[in-house]
Amino acid sequence: MEQQETTKAPEYFTTTTTTTEVVSIPVTPRMSTPEGLTPSGTRSPNSRRPMMKSSSNAWTPTSLISPRFLSPIGTPMKKVYINMKSYLEEVGHLTKLNSQDAWLPITESRNGNAHYAAFHNLNAGIGFQALLLPVAFSYLGWSWGMISLTIAYVWQLYTLWILVQLHEAVPGKRYNRYVELAQAAFGERLGLWLALFPTIYLSAGTATALILIGGETMKLFFQIVCGPLCTTNPLTTIEWYLVFTTLCVVLSQLPNLNSIAGLSLIGAVTAITYSTMVWVLSVSQPRPPSLSYQPLSSPSFSTSVFSVMNALGIVAFAFRGHNLALEIQSTMPSTFKHPAHVPMWRGAKIAYWLIAMCVFPVSIGGFWAYGNLMPAGGILNALYVFHSQDIPRVLLAATFLLVVFNCLSSFQIYSMPVFDSFEAGYTSRTNRPCSLWVRSGFRIFYGFISFFIGIALPFLSSIAGLMGGLTLPVTFAYPCFMWILIKKPQKFSFNWYFNWTLGWLGVAFSLAFSIGGVWSMVNSGMKLKFFKPN
């Protein structure tokens, strides 16, 4: 009987049901209905207004109906409707989610923020390639060296802004990878061919170069620390490559891009520190005799042209990292009110301001200290060759150790797109996520393949020019074309002309720098090394 009375007056009673009985608890009657509540449970501003008199002259279709029948939809369904409406207003649009993304390293975690973006961009944007910039200056000289470095920095900063804006250019779609954005702009087949090779080549080539640098630097660090106490049978250079590769493979077991944010922070801090230490130590020491700032002369005009093209390729390679911009941004949550491009651009601005504070002093200070006597391996090689006896062993060893830490960290972020490609192929065929053993197998395989490539190609300054040429469109050309094809600016406007011009200039420079890199590889006889072996 008591239960029947409860159902007769639902607006004045709430029922609490247990396993044994129904208890009715009287509450104070309210004139406001549950529709006046926001999804968070707080009362909306409309419910705080003074209660209108029932004798109002305004007539509504429900003015003669009891409050119990104000809505044909029951109260529980109404709450669901209100909550869903608020959610859609917050999101702004429905993003099409791919279930496979939850299994892949780049999109597995979506809790990134502006700090993570700054760490990842710094780790990807600065590193060993900055140490090679004085080599480019030795071929270009002061004027053309500074002009090319400044233009390259401003140009790549503009194309980075384009990529950040295009990440969610289409409502309801996030382009989580560089290849996905290229396919949206150029078409499925053409976009795959244009973007897949340079991005994978850039990641694999960078990983190979990092193994070369990391192994050689570990060897020199051991020699400096050990000194005359070293054993009579020290490890060979190839064995040091193997030691470094093993460390990289162990660290690569971290599952996804957000999980290596701590490593990216270590890589960023070490890169800034050793870049500053290298140019400060070089400038503080007496300059070598017979130093000159004239560009290196070549026996023929064609040789001089190819050398300049290779040097410009080194400058272009110093600003690689755009193949990771969309991937970094995809690790962040995004809604209509809080889009991912805001924290991404905030972190990128901080990162590239710090990058400028490193690459320009290294280039200027390194060329001022060594001029055209700069070895092919870069400023760190010059510091060891000219001043290994003048600089305290502690400082020299600390510099080399910081380089090793940075190379270990950079290997992880540049290898992540390759890991993602491996696992994407596996999950698309098996329709299930990679197990721990499969994921570890992919990463061990990739690490040691890079090791074997490093043994076969033990040189750096030549491969840096070739990598800069082949991957230049990723940074300088493709983003401009993507902006035109996706955003569709008005034809023959300044924006239209500007992006078409930059895009085709990037393609032309890519061809020229690639030719210069190939010539430099052939001319060097594949004998150049980052450090002179002892």
Side-chain angles (χ1 to χ4, degrees), residues 131-159:
L131 304 177
L132 297 173
L133 287 173
V135 179
F137 271 57
S138 64
Y139 289 97
L140 299 173
W142 277 119
S143 300
W144 286 110
M146 286 300 302
I147 291 173
S148 61
L149 186 63
T150 304
I151 291 176
Y153 177 80
V154 175
W155 192 346
Q156 60 88 32
L157 195 60
Y158 169 68
T159 54

PDB file of all heavy atoms in Angstrom, residues 131-159:
ATOM      1  N   LEU A 131      75.869  20.343 -34.741  1.00  0.00           N
ATOM      2  CA  LEU A 131      77.326  20.320 -34.660  1.00  0.00           C
ATOM      3  C   LEU A 131      77.976  20.345 -36.043  1.00  0.00           C
ATOM      4  O   LEU A 131      79.175  20.627 -36.151  1.00  0.00           O
ATOM      5  CB  LEU A 131      77.788  19.070 -33.901  1.00  0.00           C
ATOM      6  CG  LEU A 131      77.215  18.898 -32.491  1.00  0.00           C
ATOM      7  CD1 LEU A 131      77.704  17.595 -31.879  1.00  0.00           C
ATOM      8  CD2 LEU A 131      77.599  20.077 -31.609  1.00  0.00           C
ATOM      9  N   LEU A 132      77.203  20.037 -37.090  1.00  0.00           N
ATOM     10  CA  LEU A 132      77.754  20.031 -38.448  1.00  0.00           C
ATOM     11  C   LEU A 132      77.610  21.366 -39.162  1.00  0.00           C
ATOM     12  O   LEU A 132      78.151  21.539 -40.254  1.00  0.00           O
ATOM     13  CB  LEU A 132      77.062  18.946 -39.284  1.00  0.00           C
ATOM     14  CG  LEU A 132      77.244  17.498 -38.816  1.00  0.00           C
ATOM     15  CD1 LEU A 132      76.373  16.572 -39.635  1.00  0.00           C
ATOM     16  CD2 LEU A 132      78.695  17.080 -38.913  1.00  0.00           C
ATOM     17  N   LEU A 133      76.897  22.311 -38.565  1.00  0.00           N
ATOM     18  CA  LEU A 133      76.678  23.585 -39.245  1.00  0.00           C
ATOM     19  C   LEU A 133      77.971  24.353 -39.526  1.00  0.00           C
ATOM     20  O   LEU A 133      78.081  24.987 -40.589  1.00  0.00           O
ATOM     21  CB  LEU A 133      75.707  24.444 -38.427  1.00  0.00           C
ATOM     22  CG  LEU A 133      74.246  23.990 -38.469  1.00  0.00           C
ATOM     23  CD1 LEU A 133      73.401  24.788 -37.489  1.00  0.00           C
ATOM     24  CD2 LEU A 133      73.678  24.123 -39.878  1.00  0.00           C
ATOM     25  N   PRO A 134      78.970  24.359 -38.628  1.00  0.00           N
ATOM     26  CA  PRO A 134      80.225  25.039 -38.996  1.00  0.00           C
ATOM     27  C   PRO A 134      80.894  24.436 -40.229  1.00  0.00           C
ATOM     28  O   PRO A 134      81.637  25.138 -40.933  1.00  0.00           O
ATOM     29  CB  PRO A 134      81.096  24.857 -37.743  1.00  0.00           C
ATOM     30  CG  PRO A 134      80.125  24.700 -36.628  1.00  0.00           C
ATOM     31  CD  PRO A 134      78.979  23.938 -37.218  1.00  0.00           C
ATOM     32  N   VAL A 135      80.644  23.146 -40.517  1.00  0.00           N
ATOM     33  CA  VAL A 135      81.175  22.545 -41.746  1.00  0.00           C
ATOM     34  C   VAL A 135      80.551  23.223 -42.961  1.00  0.00           C
ATOM     35  O   VAL A 135      81.240  23.523 -43.944  1.00  0.00           O
ATOM     36  CB  VAL A 135      80.902  21.029 -41.754  1.00  0.00           C
ATOM     37  CG1 VAL A 135      81.432  20.398 -43.035  1.00  0.00           C
ATOM     38  CG2 VAL A 135      81.519  20.358 -40.539  1.00  0.00           C
ATOM     39  N   ALA A 136      79.256  23.470 -42.900  1.00  0.00           N
ATOM     40  CA  ALA A 136      78.594  24.174 -44.007  1.00  0.00           C
ATOM     41  C   ALA A 136      79.143  25.586 -44.157  1.00  0.00           C
ATOM     42  O   ALA A 136      79.340  26.069 -45.285  1.00  0.00           O
ATOM     43  CB  ALA A 136      77.084  24.207 -43.760  1.00  0.00           C
ATOM     44  N   PHE A 137      79.412  26.267 -43.051  1.00  0.00           N
ATOM     45  CA  PHE A 137      79.964  27.618 -43.116  1.00  0.00           C
ATOM     46  C   PHE A 137      81.345  27.620 -43.764  1.00  0.00           C
ATOM     47  O   PHE A 137      81.726  28.617 -44.392  1.00  0.00           O
ATOM     48  CB  PHE A 137      80.039  28.216 -41.709  1.00  0.00           C
ATOM     49  CG  PHE A 137      78.792  28.936 -41.289  1.00  0.00           C
ATOM     50  CD1 PHE A 137      77.570  28.303 -41.277  1.00  0.00           C
ATOM     51  CD2 PHE A 137      78.836  30.273 -40.906  1.00  0.00           C
ATOM     52  CE1 PHE A 137      76.425  28.954 -40.886  1.00  0.00           C
ATOM     53  CE2 PHE A 137      77.690  30.947 -40.518  1.00  0.00           C
ATOM     54  CZ  PHE A 137      76.477  30.281 -40.511  1.00  0.00           C
ATOM     55  N   SER A 138      82.120  26.559 -43.589  1.00  0.00           N
ATOM     56  CA  SER A 138      83.462  26.529 -44.189  1.00  0.00           C
ATOM     57  C   SER A 138      83.398  26.503 -45.710  1.00  0.00           C
ATOM     58  O   SER A 138      84.374  26.874 -46.374  1.00  0.00           O
ATOM     59  CB  SER A 138      84.237  25.314 -43.674  1.00  0.00           C
ATOM     60  OG  SER A 138      83.627  24.109 -44.086  1.00  0.00           O
ATOM     61  N   TYR A 139      82.276  26.087 -46.294  1.00  0.00           N
ATOM     62  CA  TYR A 139      82.091  26.113 -47.746  1.00  0.00           C
ATOM     63  C   TYR A 139      81.329  27.349 -48.208  1.00  0.00           C
ATOM     64  O   TYR A 139      81.497  27.785 -49.350  1.00  0.00           O
ATOM     65  CB  TYR A 139      81.329  24.861 -48.205  1.00  0.00           C
ATOM     66  CG  TYR A 139      82.130  23.591 -48.116  1.00  0.00           C
ATOM     67  CD1 TYR A 139      82.010  22.755 -47.014  1.00  0.00           C
ATOM     68  CD2 TYR A 139      83.012  23.224 -49.130  1.00  0.00           C
ATOM     69  CE1 TYR A 139      82.731  21.582 -46.922  1.00  0.00           C
ATOM     70  CE2 TYR A 139      83.750  22.058 -49.049  1.00  0.00           C
ATOM     71  CZ  TYR A 139      83.608  21.238 -47.942  1.00  0.00           C
ATOM     72  OH  TYR A 139      84.339  20.087 -47.858  1.00  0.00           O
ATOM     73  N   LEU A 140      80.498  27.906 -47.332  1.00  0.00           N
ATOM     74  CA  LEU A 140      79.663  29.040 -47.726  1.00  0.00           C
ATOM     75  C   LEU A 140      80.256  30.388 -47.351  1.00  0.00           C
ATOM     76  O   LEU A 140      79.945  31.404 -47.986  1.00  0.00           O
ATOM     77  CB  LEU A 140      78.278  28.903 -47.077  1.00  0.00           C
ATOM     78  CG  LEU A 140      77.465  27.659 -47.442  1.00  0.00           C
ATOM     79  CD1 LEU A 140      76.203  27.576 -46.595  1.00  0.00           C
ATOM     80  CD2 LEU A 140      77.126  27.656 -48.926  1.00  0.00           C
ATOM     81  N   GLY A 141      81.077  30.437 -46.299  1.00  0.00           N
ATOM     82  CA  GLY A 141      81.604  31.709 -45.822  1.00  0.00           C
ATOM     83  C   GLY A 141      80.621  32.389 -44.881  1.00  0.00           C
ATOM     84  O   GLY A 141      79.514  31.905 -44.630  1.00  0.00           O
ATOM     85  N   TRP A 142      81.049  33.565 -44.362  1.00  0.00           N
ATOM     86  CA  TRP A 142      80.239  34.270 -43.379  1.00  0.00           C
ATOM     87  C   TRP A 142      78.889  34.712 -43.951  1.00  0.00           C
ATOM     88  O   TRP A 142      77.834  34.436 -43.384  1.00  0.00           O
ATOM     89  CB  TRP A 142      80.985  35.487 -42.859  1.00  0.00           C
ATOM     90  CG  TRP A 142      81.960  35.231 -41.773  1.00  0.00           C
ATOM     91  CD1 TRP A 142      83.312  35.452 -41.794  1.00  0.00           C
ATOM     92  CD2 TRP A 142      81.684  34.699 -40.468  1.00  0.00           C
ATOM     93  NE1 TRP A 142      83.886  35.092 -40.607  1.00  0.00           N
ATOM     94  CE2 TRP A 142      82.903  34.632 -39.765  1.00  0.00           C
ATOM     95  CE3 TRP A 142      80.525  34.272 -39.836  1.00  0.00           C
ATOM     96  CZ2 TRP A 142      82.997  34.162 -38.475  1.00  0.00           C
ATOM     97  CZ3 TRP A 142      80.611  33.801 -38.540  1.00  0.00           C
ATOM     98  CH2 TRP A 142      81.828  33.746 -37.870  1.00  0.00           C
ATOM     99  N   SER A 143      78.926  35.415 -45.071  1.00  0.00           N
ATOM    100  CA  SER A 143      77.706  36.044 -45.581  1.00  0.00           C
ATOM    101  C   SER A 143      76.667  35.018 -45.981  1.00  0.00           C
ATOM    102  O   SER A 143      75.525  35.014 -45.465  1.00  0.00           O
ATOM    103  CB  SER A 143      78.035  36.950 -46.772  1.00  0.00           C
ATOM    104  OG  SER A 143      78.935  37.976 -46.383  1.00  0.00           O
ATOM    105  N   TRP A 144      77.029  34.125 -46.901  1.00  0.00           N
ATOM    106  CA  TRP A 144      76.052  33.148 -47.376  1.00  0.00           C
ATOM    107  C   TRP A 144      75.697  32.129 -46.305  1.00  0.00           C
ATOM    108  O   TRP A 144      74.578  31.605 -46.304  1.00  0.00           O
ATOM    109  CB  TRP A 144      76.575  32.448 -48.628  1.00  0.00           C
ATOM    110  CG  TRP A 144      76.526  33.337 -49.829  1.00  0.00           C
ATOM    111  CD1 TRP A 144      77.578  33.880 -50.494  1.00  0.00           C
ATOM    112  CD2 TRP A 144      75.354  33.800 -50.489  1.00  0.00           C
ATOM    113  NE1 TRP A 144      77.145  34.660 -51.530  1.00  0.00           N
ATOM    114  CE2 TRP A 144      75.765  34.620 -51.560  1.00  0.00           C
ATOM    115  CE3 TRP A 144      73.992  33.608 -50.300  1.00  0.00           C
ATOM    116  CZ2 TRP A 144      74.876  35.243 -52.416  1.00  0.00           C
ATOM    117  CZ3 TRP A 144      73.096  34.222 -51.149  1.00  0.00           C
ATOM    118  CH2 TRP A 144      73.536  35.028 -52.199  1.00  0.00           C
ATOM    119  N   GLY A 145      76.614  31.881 -45.404  1.00  0.00           N
ATOM    120  CA  GLY A 145      76.294  30.985 -44.300  1.00  0.00           C
ATOM    121  C   GLY A 145      75.199  31.556 -43.410  1.00  0.00           C
ATOM    122  O   GLY A 145      74.224  30.866 -43.074  1.00  0.00           O
ATOM    123  N   MET A 146      75.324  32.822 -43.021  1.00  0.00           N
ATOM    124  CA  MET A 146      74.311  33.446 -42.166  1.00  0.00           C
ATOM    125  C   MET A 146      72.985  33.623 -42.906  1.00  0.00           C
ATOM    126  O   MET A 146      71.909  33.421 -42.335  1.00  0.00           O
ATOM    127  CB  MET A 146      74.819  34.801 -41.679  1.00  0.00           C
ATOM    128  CG  MET A 146      75.891  34.715 -40.604  1.00  0.00           C
ATOM    129  SD  MET A 146      75.295  33.857 -39.129  1.00  0.00           S
ATOM    130  CE  MET A 146      73.892  34.874 -38.685  1.00  0.00           C
ATOM    131  N   ILE A 147      73.056  34.004 -44.184  1.00  0.00           N
ATOM    132  CA  ILE A 147      71.823  34.197 -44.958  1.00  0.00           C
ATOM    133  C   ILE A 147      71.061  32.878 -45.087  1.00  0.00           C
ATOM    134  O   ILE A 147      69.841  32.815 -44.853  1.00  0.00           O
ATOM    135  CB  ILE A 147      72.150  34.785 -46.342  1.00  0.00           C
ATOM    136  CG1 ILE A 147      72.646  36.231 -46.201  1.00  0.00           C
ATOM    137  CG2 ILE A 147      70.920  34.727 -47.247  1.00  0.00           C
ATOM    138  CD1 ILE A 147      73.149  36.829 -47.496  1.00  0.00           C
ATOM    139  N   SER A 148      71.761  31.819 -45.473  1.00  0.00           N
ATOM    140  CA  SER A 148      71.093  30.527 -45.655  1.00  0.00           C
ATOM    141  C   SER A 148      70.548  29.988 -44.331  1.00  0.00           C
ATOM    142  O   SER A 148      69.439  29.427 -44.289  1.00  0.00           O
ATOM    143  CB  SER A 148      72.061  29.519 -46.275  1.00  0.00           C
ATOM    144  OG  SER A 148      73.187  29.310 -45.425  1.00  0.00           O
ATOM    145  N   LEU A 149      71.283  30.163 -43.241  1.00  0.00           N
ATOM    146  CA  LEU A 149      70.820  29.673 -41.946  1.00  0.00           C
ATOM    147  C   LEU A 149      69.575  30.430 -41.479  1.00  0.00           C
ATOM    148  O   LEU A 149      68.612  29.829 -40.970  1.00  0.00           O
ATOM    149  CB  LEU A 149      71.938  29.801 -40.914  1.00  0.00           C
ATOM    150  CG  LEU A 149      71.669  29.211 -39.532  1.00  0.00           C
ATOM    151  CD1 LEU A 149      71.468  27.705 -39.618  1.00  0.00           C
ATOM    152  CD2 LEU A 149      72.815  29.533 -38.578  1.00  0.00           C
ATOM    153  N   THR A 150      69.563  31.741 -41.670  1.00  0.00           N
ATOM    154  CA  THR A 150      68.411  32.540 -41.250  1.00  0.00           C
ATOM    155  C   THR A 150      67.175  32.224 -42.081  1.00  0.00           C
ATOM    156  O   THR A 150      66.067  32.067 -41.544  1.00  0.00           O
ATOM    157  CB  THR A 150      68.741  34.040 -41.362  1.00  0.00           C
ATOM    158  OG1 THR A 150      69.916  34.329 -40.584  1.00  0.00           O
ATOM    159  CG2 THR A 150      67.591  34.889 -40.861  1.00  0.00           C
ATOM    160  N   ILE A 151      67.348  32.130 -43.399  1.00  0.00           N
ATOM    161  CA  ILE A 151      66.208  31.813 -44.265  1.00  0.00           C
ATOM    162  C   ILE A 151      65.649  30.436 -43.935  1.00  0.00           C
ATOM    163  O   ILE A 151      64.430  30.247 -43.852  1.00  0.00           O
ATOM    164  CB  ILE A 151      66.632  31.893 -45.744  1.00  0.00           C
ATOM    165  CG1 ILE A 151      66.926  33.352 -46.134  1.00  0.00           C
ATOM    166  CG2 ILE A 151      65.549  31.317 -46.646  1.00  0.00           C
ATOM    167  CD1 ILE A 151      67.440  33.520 -47.542  1.00  0.00           C
ATOM    168  N   ALA A 152      66.529  29.469 -43.737  1.00  0.00           N
ATOM    169  CA  ALA A 152      66.071  28.116 -43.418  1.00  0.00           C
ATOM    170  C   ALA A 152      65.302  28.091 -42.100  1.00  0.00           C
ATOM    171  O   ALA A 152      64.281  27.405 -41.979  1.00  0.00           O
ATOM    172  CB  ALA A 152      67.258  27.157 -43.361  1.00  0.00           C
ATOM    173  N   TYR A 153      65.765  28.845 -41.103  1.00  0.00           N
ATOM    174  CA  TYR A 153      65.087  28.849 -39.806  1.00  0.00           C
ATOM    175  C   TYR A 153      63.693  29.459 -39.917  1.00  0.00           C
ATOM    176  O   TYR A 153      62.712  28.896 -39.410  1.00  0.00           O
ATOM    177  CB  TYR A 153      65.922  29.624 -38.787  1.00  0.00           C
ATOM    178  CG  TYR A 153      65.263  29.731 -37.433  1.00  0.00           C
ATOM    179  CD1 TYR A 153      65.311  28.678 -36.533  1.00  0.00           C
ATOM    180  CD2 TYR A 153      64.567  30.879 -37.062  1.00  0.00           C
ATOM    181  CE1 TYR A 153      64.688  28.757 -35.299  1.00  0.00           C
ATOM    182  CE2 TYR A 153      63.941  30.978 -35.831  1.00  0.00           C
ATOM    183  CZ  TYR A 153      64.009  29.909 -34.953  1.00  0.00           C
ATOM    184  OH  TYR A 153      63.383  30.006 -33.739  1.00  0.00           O
ATOM    185  N   VAL A 154      63.572  30.612 -40.586  1.00  0.00           N
ATOM    186  CA  VAL A 154      62.266  31.269 -40.718  1.00  0.00           C
ATOM    187  C   VAL A 154      61.330  30.424 -41.574  1.00  0.00           C
ATOM    188  O   VAL A 154      60.127  30.282 -41.264  1.00  0.00           O
ATOM    189  CB  VAL A 154      62.441  32.677 -41.310  1.00  0.00           C
ATOM    190  CG1 VAL A 154      61.087  33.328 -41.555  1.00  0.00           C
ATOM    191  CG2 VAL A 154      63.281  33.542 -40.384  1.00  0.00           C
ATOM    192  N   TRP A 155      61.847  29.849 -42.632  1.00  0.00           N
ATOM    193  CA  TRP A 155      61.045  29.042 -43.544  1.00  0.00           C
ATOM    194  C   TRP A 155      60.464  27.824 -42.826  1.00  0.00           C
ATOM    195  O   TRP A 155      59.267  27.541 -42.905  1.00  0.00           O
ATOM    196  CB  TRP A 155      61.919  28.601 -44.719  1.00  0.00           C
ATOM    197  CG  TRP A 155      61.196  28.002 -45.883  1.00  0.00           C
ATOM    198  CD1 TRP A 155      59.908  27.559 -45.931  1.00  0.00           C
ATOM    199  CD2 TRP A 155      61.744  27.785 -47.187  1.00  0.00           C
ATOM    200  NE1 TRP A 155      59.616  27.063 -47.175  1.00  0.00           N
ATOM    201  CE2 TRP A 155      60.716  27.186 -47.962  1.00  0.00           C
ATOM    202  CE3 TRP A 155      62.987  28.025 -47.762  1.00  0.00           C
ATOM    203  CZ2 TRP A 155      60.930  26.829 -49.296  1.00  0.00           C
ATOM    204  CZ3 TRP A 155      63.189  27.661 -49.095  1.00  0.00           C
ATOM    205  CH2 TRP A 155      62.171  27.095 -49.848  1.00  0.00           C
ATOM    206  N   GLN A 156      61.307  27.092 -42.096  1.00  0.00           N
ATOM    207  CA  GLN A 156      60.806  25.895 -41.425  1.00  0.00           C
ATOM    208  C   GLN A 156      59.859  26.239 -40.275  1.00  0.00           C
ATOM    209  O   GLN A 156      58.976  25.467 -39.947  1.00  0.00           O
ATOM    210  CB  GLN A 156      61.979  25.036 -40.924  1.00  0.00           C
ATOM    211  CG  GLN A 156      62.913  25.700 -39.942  1.00  0.00           C
ATOM    212  CD  GLN A 156      62.489  25.571 -38.503  1.00  0.00           C
ATOM    213  OE1 GLN A 156      61.893  24.575 -38.128  1.00  0.00           O
ATOM    214  NE2 GLN A 156      62.808  26.575 -37.701  1.00  0.00           N
ATOM    215  N   LEU A 157      60.023  27.413 -39.657  1.00  0.00           N
ATOM    216  CA  LEU A 157      59.093  27.814 -38.611  1.00  0.00           C
ATOM    217  C   LEU A 157      57.703  28.093 -39.206  1.00  0.00           C
ATOM    218  O   LEU A 157      56.675  27.760 -38.600  1.00  0.00           O
ATOM    219  CB  LEU A 157      59.624  29.056 -37.897  1.00  0.00           C
ATOM    220  CG  LEU A 157      58.982  29.406 -36.553  1.00  0.00           C
ATOM    221  CD1 LEU A 157      59.174  28.281 -35.552  1.00  0.00           C
ATOM    222  CD2 LEU A 157      59.554  30.698 -36.008  1.00  0.00           C
ATOM    223  N   TYR A 158      57.669  28.671 -40.399  1.00  0.00           N
ATOM    224  CA  TYR A 158      56.398  28.923 -41.068  1.00  0.00           C
ATOM    225  C   TYR A 158      55.704  27.613 -41.459  1.00  0.00           C
ATOM    226  O   TYR A 158      54.489  27.443 -41.246  1.00  0.00           O
ATOM    227  CB  TYR A 158      56.625  29.784 -42.309  1.00  0.00           C
ATOM    228  CG  TYR A 158      55.426  29.894 -43.216  1.00  0.00           C
ATOM    229  CD1 TYR A 158      54.283  30.578 -42.814  1.00  0.00           C
ATOM    230  CD2 TYR A 158      55.419  29.291 -44.477  1.00  0.00           C
ATOM    231  CE1 TYR A 158      53.167  30.670 -43.639  1.00  0.00           C
ATOM    232  CE2 TYR A 158      54.321  29.373 -45.308  1.00  0.00           C
ATOM    233  CZ  TYR A 158      53.190  30.063 -44.889  1.00  0.00           C
ATOM    234  OH  TYR A 158      52.091  30.146 -45.702  1.00  0.00           O
ATOM    235  N   THR A 159      56.457  26.675 -42.020  1.00  0.00           N
ATOM    236  CA  THR A 159      55.844  25.401 -42.407  1.00  0.00           C
ATOM    237  C   THR A 159      55.427  24.583 -41.185  1.00  0.00           C
ATOM    238  O   THR A 159      54.465  23.805 -41.253  1.00  0.00           O
ATOM    239  CB  THR A 159      56.804  24.591 -43.282  1.00  0.00           C
ATOM    240  OG1 THR A 159      58.073  24.437 -42.608  1.00  0.00           O
ATOM    241  CG2 THR A 159      57.042  25.287 -44.613  1.00  0.00           C
TER     242      THR A 159
END
